[in-house]
Amino acid sequence: TRVLGIEGTAWCASAAVFDVTGDDVRIFSDAYQPDSGGIHPREAAEHMRSAIPAVVAEAVELVESKHGAPGGAIDAIAFSRGPGLGPCLRIAATAARALAGSLDLPLVGVNHMVAHLEIGRHRSGFDAPVCLNASGANAHVLGYHDGRYRVLGETMDTGIGNAIDKFTRHVGWTHPGGPKVERRAKDGEYVALPYVVKGMDFSFSGITSAAQDAIDDGTPVEDVCRGLQETTFAMLTEVSERALSLTGADELVLGGGVGQNGRLREMLETMCAERGASFYAPEPRFLRDNAGMIAVLGAKMYEAGDTITIDESRVRPDFRPDEVPVTWRADDGS
Ligand code: ATP
């Protein structure tokens, strides 16, 4: 099976080719970089519109150069249906429909958050892991039960990446803020910030405000960065541990752009080691938004016969992972 995937939920216009034989994933991406502030939805859509044709052309050319005419060399076109920014999703979906229609290929509509999870499961070979999705616009802990990935815990307000980026905008740093916070935190002393876990859910907005106040009060930025990372990542680690305990799973995978953070990976790794669980974080190109994960899950769905017609392919800006019937794995009922 060979699937061409298209990703366009927000900032990353991306296309990829996944060959099941050889487990080979080639990704072509073009990132939107705001001049100032965070992601502006209208600018993100303009970037998506101008960037999608070139990345899709690169993926098609790769197939053509290696395997001949794409219509005969690709089995399906997969695209991210949501969640994400509506205007961006519609542009990527239009490209996917045009390609599927013109090449007469089936279309696969992929949930972006399930793709963040499945790429970790695919690369690790784990069977039924708990997954921590720590991305820009989202933060949730998922566990597999009875044919679906259930949301065991999630943010009650913003995504973890957005919380960090909001803080760095206050400091005056350019987007994305996460890598800058990681670098500066290494030189900082821990400062306490509000730790908010309620049941299995967590909240970041109060922490962002407290971190901004600490900067305004003259606390060194390195120290606030350190406090911000230690606090938010400890919350994510606590809920991940409770999800492992609750489900009896002994495997944890990480997904999403904030998963590129070494300190988050270290905390999760330590927690897993202490309870005898296995931990896997995919390489950075599969953590941040990318079409590789869309193509990989698209191939699994295609092989399971989980395709949609163009008429059924409307985008879903609020698409939740627990709405997706998991058609591509054998269900042992556990
Ligand atoms: P979603 O997948 O929920 O739609 P998204 O499209 O914003 O979210 P991702 O690519 O998963 O995107 O994540 C982007 C986020 O990752 C940004 O908020 C960025 O600051 C954060 N990030 C990137 N590198 C790091 C890092 N080293 N440490 C912490 N955060 C990071």
Side-chain angles (χ1 to χ4, degrees):
T1 302
R2 184 174 302 119
V3 169
L4 191 152
I6 299 178
E7 155 65 28
T9 53
W11 61 272
C12 181
S14 179
V17 180
F18 173 50
D19 271 297
V20 173
T21 313
D23 193 17
D24 182 39
V25 189
R26 294 286 304 272
I27 304 172
F28 305 92
S29 295
D30 185 337
Y32 153 63
Q33 173 67 47
D35 293 333
S36 64
I39 292 181
H40 307 284
R42 189 177 42 79
E43 282 181 16
E46 278 164 17
H47 168 264
M48 194 59 67
R49 187 169 297 115
S50 64
I52 273 285
V55 293
V56 171
E58 281 181 285
V60 170
E61 278 159 26
L62 172 81
V63 171
E64 212 157 17
S65 67
K66 285 171 75 176
H67 310 285
I74 301 171
D75 296 293
I77 306 295
F79 73 105
S80 46
R81 268 186 102 175
L85 301 171
C88 295
L89 288 169
R90 284 192 283 277
I91 292 160
T94 302
R97 289 181 199 117
L99 206 55
S102 63
L103 298 176
D104 196 20
L105 292 172
L107 200 54
V108 185
V110 172
N111 179 295
H112 175 90
M113 299 317 297
V114 175
H116 270 311
L117 179 169
E118 274 290 330
I119 192 68
R121 196 174 77 93
H122 175 75
R123 305 286 288 183
S124 62
F126 289 171
D127 178 34
V130 162
C131 176
L132 169 63
N133 263 334
S135 63
N138 291 277
H140 46 220
V141 175
L142 301 171
Y144 182 76
H145 178 73
D146 199 15
R148 296 207 180 210
Y149 288 112
R150 314 285 166 174
V151 179
L152 302 174
E154 66 186 314
T155 179
M156 294 183 281
D157 37 58
T158 72
I160 172 68
N162 289 359
I164 295 173
D165 295 337
K166 193 169 174 206
F167 164 73
T168 55
R169 279 205 294 285
H170 185 78
V171 177
W173 296 344
T174 54
H175 185 87
K180 291 158 192 127
V181 167
E182 179 169 18
R183 269 197 304 279
R184 300 297 285 272
K186 292 198 169 84
D187 305 320
E189 296 288 330
Y190 169 78
V191 291
L193 292 168
Y195 182 101
V196 189
V197 173
K198 291 189 175 159
M200 293 287 282
D201 295 330
F202 30 84
S203 153
F204 300 116
S205 63
I207 304 175
T208 307
S209 306
Q212 291 172 346
D213 291 348
I215 292 290
D216 295 345
D217 293 344
T219 312
V221 70
E222 297 77 22
D223 296 359
V224 183
C225 288
R226 178 81 180 263
L228 184 61
Q229 283 201 165
E230 295 302 306
T231 307
T232 55
F233 296 168
M235 288 160 49
L236 295 174
T237 305
E238 181 195 330
V239 174
S240 302
E241 175 161 34
R242 284 162 58 194
L244 287 169
S245 165
L246 190 73
T247 57
D250 59 1
E251 299 162 335
L252 177 71
V253 297
L254 180 60
V258 181
Q260 295 170 97
N261 188 292
R263 180 62 185 140
L264 175 60
R265 289 204 303 270
E266 184 180 46
M267 286 166 82
L268 294 168
E269 206 156 9
T270 306
M271 178 273 285
C272 286
E274 281 173 2
R275 54 180 297 121
S278 307
F279 173 67
Y280 181 80
E283 61 211 78
R285 71 182 183 127
F286 288 125
L287 281 167
R288 55 180 171 259
D289 286 357
N290 68 89
M293 66 184 190
I294 303 299
V296 167
L297 178 50
K300 291 177 196 286
M301 292 172 70
Y302 164 73
E303 287 178 345
D306 193 353
T307 62
I308 50 177
T309 63
I310 289 176
D311 285 348
E312 294 166 333
S313 67
R314 74 188 168 85
V315 299
R316 305 277 318 276
D318 300 316
F319 202 3
R320 283 177 61 85
D322 47 6
E323 289 180 65
V324 179
V326 177
T327 53
W328 56 90
R329 44 170 299 168
D331 195 344
D332 59 5
S334 61

mmCIF file of all heavy atoms in Angstrom, residues 9-11 112-113 116 135-138 161-162 165 176-179 182 256-258 260-261 287-289, ligand 1:
data_model
loop_
_atom_site.group_PDB
_atom_site.id
_atom_site.type_symbol
_atom_site.label_atom_id
_atom_site.label_comp_id
_atom_site.label_asym_id
_atom_site.label_seq_id
_atom_site.Cartn_x
_atom_site.Cartn_y
_atom_site.Cartn_z
ATOM 1 N N THR A 9 -4.027 21.622 9.283
ATOM 2 C CA THR A 9 -4.952 22.028 10.345
ATOM 3 C C THR A 9 -4.702 23.453 10.811
ATOM 4 O O THR A 9 -5.613 24.096 11.312
ATOM 5 C CB THR A 9 -4.874 21.085 11.554
ATOM 6 O OG1 THR A 9 -3.498 20.991 11.953
ATOM 7 C CG2 THR A 9 -5.399 19.705 11.210
ATOM 8 N N ALA A 10 -3.453 23.926 10.706
ATOM 9 C CA ALA A 10 -3.155 25.272 11.222
ATOM 10 C C ALA A 10 -1.933 25.876 10.526
ATOM 11 O O ALA A 10 -2.037 26.448 9.451
ATOM 12 C CB ALA A 10 -2.965 25.226 12.732
ATOM 13 N N TRP A 11 -0.781 25.687 11.129
ATOM 14 C CA TRP A 11 0.415 26.412 10.671
ATOM 15 C C TRP A 11 1.251 25.634 9.663
ATOM 16 O O TRP A 11 2.113 26.195 9.000
ATOM 17 C CB TRP A 11 1.277 26.781 11.888
ATOM 18 C CG TRP A 11 1.759 25.563 12.637
ATOM 19 C CD1 TRP A 11 1.112 24.902 13.647
ATOM 20 C CD2 TRP A 11 2.971 24.846 12.408
ATOM 21 N NE1 TRP A 11 1.842 23.812 14.055
ATOM 22 C CE2 TRP A 11 2.992 23.763 13.326
ATOM 23 C CE3 TRP A 11 4.055 25.003 11.533
ATOM 24 C CZ2 TRP A 11 4.049 22.852 13.365
ATOM 25 C CZ3 TRP A 11 5.100 24.094 11.583
ATOM 26 C CH2 TRP A 11 5.090 23.032 12.498
ATOM 27 N N HIS A 112 -6.825 14.384 13.137
ATOM 28 C CA HIS A 112 -5.454 14.848 13.378
ATOM 29 C C HIS A 112 -4.916 14.406 14.751
ATOM 30 O O HIS A 112 -3.744 14.049 14.882
ATOM 31 C CB HIS A 112 -5.487 16.386 13.258
ATOM 32 C CG HIS A 112 -4.236 17.098 13.582
ATOM 33 N ND1 HIS A 112 -3.273 17.386 12.636
ATOM 34 C CD2 HIS A 112 -3.797 17.636 14.739
ATOM 35 C CE1 HIS A 112 -2.292 18.060 13.210
ATOM 36 N NE2 HIS A 112 -2.574 18.231 14.484
ATOM 37 N N MET A 113 -5.765 14.415 15.784
ATOM 38 C CA MET A 113 -5.282 14.046 17.117
ATOM 39 C C MET A 113 -5.064 12.541 17.221
ATOM 40 O O MET A 113 -4.115 12.086 17.871
ATOM 41 C CB MET A 113 -6.272 14.515 18.208
ATOM 42 C CG MET A 113 -6.498 16.019 18.256
ATOM 43 S SD MET A 113 -5.031 17.053 18.080
ATOM 44 C CE MET A 113 -4.089 16.601 19.519
ATOM 45 N N HIS A 116 -1.746 11.949 15.725
ATOM 46 C CA HIS A 116 -0.638 12.236 16.662
ATOM 47 C C HIS A 116 -0.380 11.019 17.552
ATOM 48 O O HIS A 116 0.750 10.715 17.910
ATOM 49 C CB HIS A 116 -0.999 13.425 17.568
ATOM 50 C CG HIS A 116 -0.618 14.783 17.046
ATOM 51 N ND1 HIS A 116 0.632 15.093 16.560
ATOM 52 C CD2 HIS A 116 -1.324 15.956 16.982
ATOM 53 C CE1 HIS A 116 0.681 16.380 16.220
ATOM 54 N NE2 HIS A 116 -0.500 16.933 16.452
ATOM 55 N N SER A 135 0.085 19.172 22.314
ATOM 56 C CA SER A 135 0.325 19.927 21.085
ATOM 57 C C SER A 135 0.016 21.397 21.323
ATOM 58 O O SER A 135 -0.170 21.825 22.455
ATOM 59 C CB SER A 135 -0.508 19.339 19.954
ATOM 60 O OG SER A 135 -1.868 19.463 20.246
ATOM 61 N N GLY A 136 -0.030 22.173 20.231
ATOM 62 C CA GLY A 136 -0.257 23.603 20.369
ATOM 63 C C GLY A 136 -1.649 23.892 20.878
ATOM 64 O O GLY A 136 -1.841 24.495 21.941
ATOM 65 N N ALA A 137 -2.637 23.434 20.127
ATOM 66 C CA ALA A 137 -4.021 23.795 20.419
ATOM 67 C C ALA A 137 -4.725 22.782 21.317
ATOM 68 O O ALA A 137 -5.876 22.988 21.681
ATOM 69 C CB ALA A 137 -4.787 23.949 19.112
ATOM 70 N N ASN A 138 -4.085 21.699 21.674
ATOM 71 C CA ASN A 138 -4.741 20.642 22.437
ATOM 72 C C ASN A 138 -3.838 20.115 23.553
ATOM 73 O O ASN A 138 -2.625 20.308 23.534
ATOM 74 C CB ASN A 138 -5.097 19.460 21.517
ATOM 75 C CG ASN A 138 -6.197 19.823 20.528
ATOM 76 O OD1 ASN A 138 -7.367 19.781 20.847
ATOM 77 N ND2 ASN A 138 -5.815 20.206 19.319
ATOM 78 N N GLY A 161 0.747 24.018 24.288
ATOM 79 C CA GLY A 161 1.636 24.854 23.459
ATOM 80 C C GLY A 161 1.141 26.294 23.402
ATOM 81 O O GLY A 161 1.923 27.246 23.535
ATOM 82 N N ASN A 162 -0.175 26.453 23.248
ATOM 83 C CA ASN A 162 -0.729 27.810 23.201
ATOM 84 C C ASN A 162 -0.508 28.541 24.518
ATOM 85 O O ASN A 162 -0.285 29.761 24.527
ATOM 86 C CB ASN A 162 -2.225 27.777 22.878
ATOM 87 C CG ASN A 162 -2.496 27.383 21.437
ATOM 88 O OD1 ASN A 162 -1.566 27.148 20.664
ATOM 89 N ND2 ASN A 162 -3.760 27.285 21.065
ATOM 90 N N ASP A 165 3.056 29.644 24.433
ATOM 91 C CA ASP A 165 3.244 30.711 23.428
ATOM 92 C C ASP A 165 2.627 32.033 23.900
ATOM 93 O O ASP A 165 3.144 33.106 23.580
ATOM 94 C CB ASP A 165 2.604 30.301 22.093
ATOM 95 C CG ASP A 165 3.276 29.091 21.468
ATOM 96 O OD1 ASP A 165 4.460 28.830 21.787
ATOM 97 O OD2 ASP A 165 2.626 28.393 20.667
ATOM 98 N N PRO A 176 7.428 30.269 17.384
ATOM 99 C CA PRO A 176 6.840 29.616 18.544
ATOM 100 C C PRO A 176 7.691 29.795 19.807
ATOM 101 O O PRO A 176 8.926 29.844 19.728
ATOM 102 C CB PRO A 176 6.814 28.140 18.128
ATOM 103 C CG PRO A 176 7.987 27.988 17.218
ATOM 104 C CD PRO A 176 8.134 29.316 16.513
ATOM 105 N N GLY A 177 7.011 29.868 20.952
ATOM 106 C CA GLY A 177 7.715 30.139 22.192
ATOM 107 C C GLY A 177 8.340 28.915 22.843
ATOM 108 O O GLY A 177 9.323 29.029 23.580
ATOM 109 N N GLY A 178 7.764 27.728 22.593
ATOM 110 C CA GLY A 178 8.192 26.514 23.306
ATOM 111 C C GLY A 178 9.699 26.275 23.317
ATOM 112 O O GLY A 178 10.285 26.083 24.392
ATOM 113 N N PRO A 179 10.363 26.310 22.148
ATOM 114 C CA PRO A 179 11.806 26.033 22.149
ATOM 115 C C PRO A 179 12.604 27.083 22.930
ATOM 116 O O PRO A 179 13.618 26.759 23.552
ATOM 117 C CB PRO A 179 12.189 26.094 20.659
ATOM 118 C CG PRO A 179 10.909 25.880 19.915
ATOM 119 C CD PRO A 179 9.821 26.429 20.786
ATOM 120 N N GLU A 182 12.268 26.334 26.602
ATOM 121 C CA GLU A 182 13.104 25.176 26.950
ATOM 122 C C GLU A 182 14.563 25.590 27.144
ATOM 123 O O GLU A 182 15.210 25.195 28.118
ATOM 124 C CB GLU A 182 13.005 24.097 25.852
ATOM 125 C CG GLU A 182 13.876 22.894 26.182
ATOM 126 C CD GLU A 182 13.649 21.680 25.292
ATOM 127 O OE1 GLU A 182 13.076 21.830 24.194
ATOM 128 O OE2 GLU A 182 14.058 20.578 25.723
ATOM 129 N N GLY A 256 2.444 15.208 19.581
ATOM 130 C CA GLY A 256 2.257 16.659 19.547
ATOM 131 C C GLY A 256 3.556 17.439 19.646
ATOM 132 O O GLY A 256 4.565 16.939 20.155
ATOM 133 N N GLY A 257 3.483 18.693 19.175
ATOM 134 C CA GLY A 257 4.689 19.526 19.051
ATOM 135 C C GLY A 257 5.412 19.796 20.356
ATOM 136 O O GLY A 257 6.650 19.914 20.377
ATOM 137 N N VAL A 258 4.695 19.882 21.481
ATOM 138 C CA VAL A 258 5.354 20.139 22.771
ATOM 139 C C VAL A 258 6.163 18.905 23.203
ATOM 140 O O VAL A 258 7.072 19.003 24.028
ATOM 141 C CB VAL A 258 4.312 20.572 23.837
ATOM 142 C CG1 VAL A 258 4.963 20.869 25.173
ATOM 143 C CG2 VAL A 258 3.534 21.798 23.354
ATOM 144 N N GLN A 260 8.397 17.703 21.649
ATOM 145 C CA GLN A 260 9.805 17.917 21.266
ATOM 146 C C GLN A 260 10.634 18.389 22.458
ATOM 147 O O GLN A 260 11.855 18.466 22.383
ATOM 148 C CB GLN A 260 9.884 18.962 20.141
ATOM 149 C CG GLN A 260 9.226 18.481 18.865
ATOM 150 C CD GLN A 260 9.086 19.600 17.834
ATOM 151 O OE1 GLN A 260 9.891 19.731 16.944
ATOM 152 N NE2 GLN A 260 8.044 20.414 17.984
ATOM 153 N N ASN A 261 9.962 18.732 23.557
ATOM 154 C CA ASN A 261 10.658 19.268 24.728
ATOM 155 C C ASN A 261 11.345 18.148 25.513
ATOM 156 O O ASN A 261 10.702 17.203 25.975
ATOM 157 C CB ASN A 261 9.633 19.997 25.616
ATOM 158 C CG ASN A 261 10.307 20.745 26.739
ATOM 159 O OD1 ASN A 261 10.873 20.133 27.637
ATOM 160 N ND2 ASN A 261 10.264 22.059 26.680
ATOM 161 N N LEU A 287 6.448 14.487 15.659
ATOM 162 C CA LEU A 287 5.752 15.063 16.821
ATOM 163 C C LEU A 287 5.018 16.340 16.437
ATOM 164 O O LEU A 287 3.841 16.501 16.705
ATOM 165 C CB LEU A 287 6.756 15.362 17.936
ATOM 166 C CG LEU A 287 7.185 14.158 18.773
ATOM 167 C CD1 LEU A 287 8.405 14.511 19.618
ATOM 168 C CD2 LEU A 287 6.050 13.687 19.686
ATOM 169 N N ARG A 288 5.759 17.280 15.817
ATOM 170 C CA ARG A 288 5.079 18.505 15.372
ATOM 171 C C ARG A 288 4.132 18.133 14.236
ATOM 172 O O ARG A 288 4.213 17.040 13.687
ATOM 173 C CB ARG A 288 6.114 19.541 14.926
ATOM 174 C CG ARG A 288 7.073 19.030 13.869
ATOM 175 C CD ARG A 288 8.077 20.115 13.456
ATOM 176 N NE ARG A 288 9.111 19.561 12.604
ATOM 177 C CZ ARG A 288 10.337 19.234 13.003
ATOM 178 N NH1 ARG A 288 10.696 19.400 14.267
ATOM 179 N NH2 ARG A 288 11.215 18.725 12.158
ATOM 180 N N ASP A 289 3.231 19.050 13.878
ATOM 181 C CA ASP A 289 2.287 18.756 12.806
ATOM 182 C C ASP A 289 3.044 18.338 11.543
ATOM 183 O O ASP A 289 4.030 18.975 11.166
ATOM 184 C CB ASP A 289 1.420 19.988 12.506
ATOM 185 C CG ASP A 289 0.382 20.231 13.593
ATOM 186 O OD1 ASP A 289 0.303 19.426 14.529
ATOM 187 O OD2 ASP A 289 -0.352 21.229 13.480
HETATM 188 P P1 ATP B 1 -2.567 20.744 17.192
HETATM 189 O O1 ATP B 1 -1.778 19.535 16.823
HETATM 190 O O2 ATP B 1 -3.249 20.665 18.502
HETATM 191 O O3 ATP B 1 -3.474 21.200 16.084
HETATM 192 P P2 ATP B 1 -0.578 22.777 16.585
HETATM 193 O O4 ATP B 1 -1.077 22.745 15.197
HETATM 194 O O5 ATP B 1 -0.430 24.124 17.197
HETATM 195 O O6 ATP B 1 -1.511 21.895 17.469
HETATM 196 P P3 ATP B 1 1.977 21.226 17.014
HETATM 197 O O7 ATP B 1 2.877 21.201 15.862
HETATM 198 O O8 ATP B 1 1.534 19.914 17.555
HETATM 199 O O9 ATP B 1 0.800 22.128 16.636
HETATM 200 O O10 ATP B 1 2.674 22.017 18.211
HETATM 201 C C1 ATP B 1 3.138 23.332 18.096
HETATM 202 C C2 ATP B 1 3.467 23.810 19.502
HETATM 203 O O11 ATP B 1 4.638 23.128 19.980
HETATM 204 C C3 ATP B 1 3.741 25.288 19.629
HETATM 205 O O12 ATP B 1 2.909 25.804 20.628
HETATM 206 C C4 ATP B 1 5.210 25.346 20.077
HETATM 207 O O13 ATP B 1 5.513 26.414 20.956
HETATM 208 C C5 ATP B 1 5.371 24.008 20.772
HETATM 209 N N1 ATP B 1 6.770 23.566 20.844
HETATM 210 C C6 ATP B 1 7.628 23.349 19.824
HETATM 211 N N2 ATP B 1 8.840 22.988 20.296
HETATM 212 C C7 ATP B 1 8.743 22.969 21.660
HETATM 213 C C8 ATP B 1 9.650 22.699 22.728
HETATM 214 N N3 ATP B 1 10.905 22.364 22.495
HETATM 215 N N4 ATP B 1 9.176 22.813 23.993
HETATM 216 C C9 ATP B 1 7.899 23.149 24.238
HETATM 217 N N5 ATP B 1 7.012 23.431 23.287
HETATM 218 C C10 ATP B 1 7.412 23.339 21.999
#
